[in-house]
Amino acid sequence: MHQSALIIGASGDIGTVVARRLAKAGWSLYLHYFHSEQRISQLQAELQQTYPKQDFFVLQYDLTVEAHLDELTERLFQVDAVIFAAGITTYGLFSETTSQQIEQLWEMHIKLPMLLCQRLAPKLAKNQCGRIVFVGSVYGGSGSAMEVGYSTVKGAQSAFANAYAKEVASLGITVNVIAPGAVDTQMNQQFSTAAKENLKMEIPASRLARPDEIAYWVAALLDPAAGYLTGQTIYVSGGWRK
Ligand SMILES: NC(=O)c1ccc[n+]([C@@H]2O[C@H](COP(=O)([O-])OP(=O)(O)OC[C@H]3O[C@@H](n4cnc5c(N)ncnc54)[C@H](OP(=O)(O)O)[C@@H]3O)[C@@H](O)[C@H]2O)c1
């Protein structure tokens, strides 16, 4: 039987590349999206055509709404791995960050993923080889001015992985965080060319990561041979900050 993974945020730049890499490795996938319906439909069609013997299902869900979480979980059959690759950031001084923004950051990055982990644990435990991977951020370790709320919830993802890993290790489930530095994606399109050049000068590798350089590590954690690594945050940042 094929192994199945749920990718939360498969419609995002990193999530899409993770999906392609896992599909290539033989995984069947639940592809989650929120607004990017066209993008996810195209991805589903592409994967189904390239890997006709695997299954690719699409799920739409707003990760800030707890009410439909049970409904979402009931639509999942076999889940051997879950990857949390959804995310948003708010850019600005913390003194100007609203309660609503903090709530949204918290729900999307931490609260709903935690509740989903609770619901999926029995499925993940089935084969003694379950995997939970968060796409975190280097900011969760080092903190960033102007993205204080985002840095906080990214740090919380690492804290959750560290603690929860200890509870589920005996069930064969690993919980880890792949924490990218700056990745060449839509999320960074808001920065001017000059700001991006300045950023590159700060990064020891002198460039942003390609999304596939993040997906590589996510896929590596899903390998059965990676079963002894748990509760860790792996910084994939070209030597930047962490
Ligand atoms: N890009 C970077 O430089 C970078 C660096 C470090 C860490 N990261 C982290 O890596 C992860 C992926 O980033 P990315 O660059 O791939 O971002 P992206 O392209 O902007 O994708 C964001 C994803 O989050 C989903 N999403 C947004 N709001 C949602 C909501 N309310 N409910 C459910 N899903 C929602 C989006 O779904 P729809 O598009 O379907 O709405 C999309 O799939 C994030 O956690 C991010 O914090 C990124």
Side-chain angles (χ1 to χ4, degrees):
M1 184 162 36
H2 291 126
Q3 285 205 298
S4 290
L6 165 64
I7 304 176
I8 298 291
S11 51
D13 286 340
I14 294 175
T16 294
V17 179
V18 168
R20 289 198 179 111
R21 190 172 262 276
L22 292 183
K24 194 175 178 184
W27 288 77
S28 286
L29 300 172
Y30 291 102
L31 304 164
H32 159 269
Y33 77 105
F34 178 33
H35 279 134
S36 306
E37 189 176 355
Q38 198 187 347
R39 190 167 169 171
I40 208 81
S41 302
Q42 281 172 358
L43 178 67
Q44 181 190 33
E46 170 200 318
L47 297 179
Q48 201 67 77
Q49 195 179 7
T50 316
Y51 309 102
K53 292 186 178 156
Q54 295 156 233
D55 295 317
F56 300 98
F57 301 109
V58 163
L59 302 163
Q60 197 267 348
Y61 184 69
D62 179 354
L63 217 53
T64 64
V65 180
E66 192 182 329
H68 305 300
L69 201 56
D70 285 331
E71 198 182 300
L72 172 83
T73 320
E74 279 161 20
R75 291 175 61 196
L76 305 171
F77 177 55
Q78 182 193 349
V79 181
D80 305 292
V82 54
I83 294 109
F84 293 102
I88 47 157
T89 187
T90 52
Y91 196 75
L93 284 173
F94 184 59
S95 55
E96 286 156 18
T97 305
T98 64
S99 167
Q100 198 192 359
Q101 286 172 324
I102 293 172
E103 184 103 1
Q104 199 182 22
L105 285 166
W106 162 252
E107 283 170 336
M108 266 204 66
H109 295 90
I110 284 292
K111 185 178 174 189
L112 275 286
M114 284 170 82
L115 293 173
L116 201 50
C117 285
Q118 279 180 335
R119 285 163 175 75
L120 293 179
K123 292 185 196 296
L124 292 167
K126 249 187 187 145
N127 295 327
Q128 276 288 312
C129 197
R131 299 283 186 265
I132 299 171
V133 182
F134 285 84
V135 180
S137 168
V138 77
Y139 285 175
S142 67
S144 175
M146 304 297 281
E147 291 185 71
V148 172
Y150 175 80
S151 301
T152 304
V153 294
K154 287 300 183 183
Q157 289 182 333
S158 293
F160 172 69
N162 188 15
Y164 188 48
K166 294 176 173 71
E167 238 180 63
V168 291
S170 63
L171 301 173
I173 301 172
T174 69
V175 193
N176 292 292
V177 178
I178 294 300
V183 190
D184 200 4
T185 60
Q186 287 295 327
M187 213 177 209
N188 292 315
Q189 293 311 310
Q190 57 180 315
F191 297 113
S192 65
T193 311
K196 271 202 197 173
E197 284 311 311
N198 283 340
L199 177 61
K200 281 182 198 169
M201 282 196 289
E202 265 188 55
I203 301 170
S206 308
R207 63 176 179 83
L208 277 65
R210 295 185 300 276
D212 196 48
E213 291 174 309
I214 307 306
Y216 169 83
W217 290 102
V218 174
L221 290 176
L222 266 55
D223 194 292
Y228 206 62
L229 184 92
T230 194
Q232 303 302 310
T233 295
I234 300 172
Y235 294 98
V236 186
S237 63
W240 188 52
R241 282 177 176 249
K242 266 279 173 183

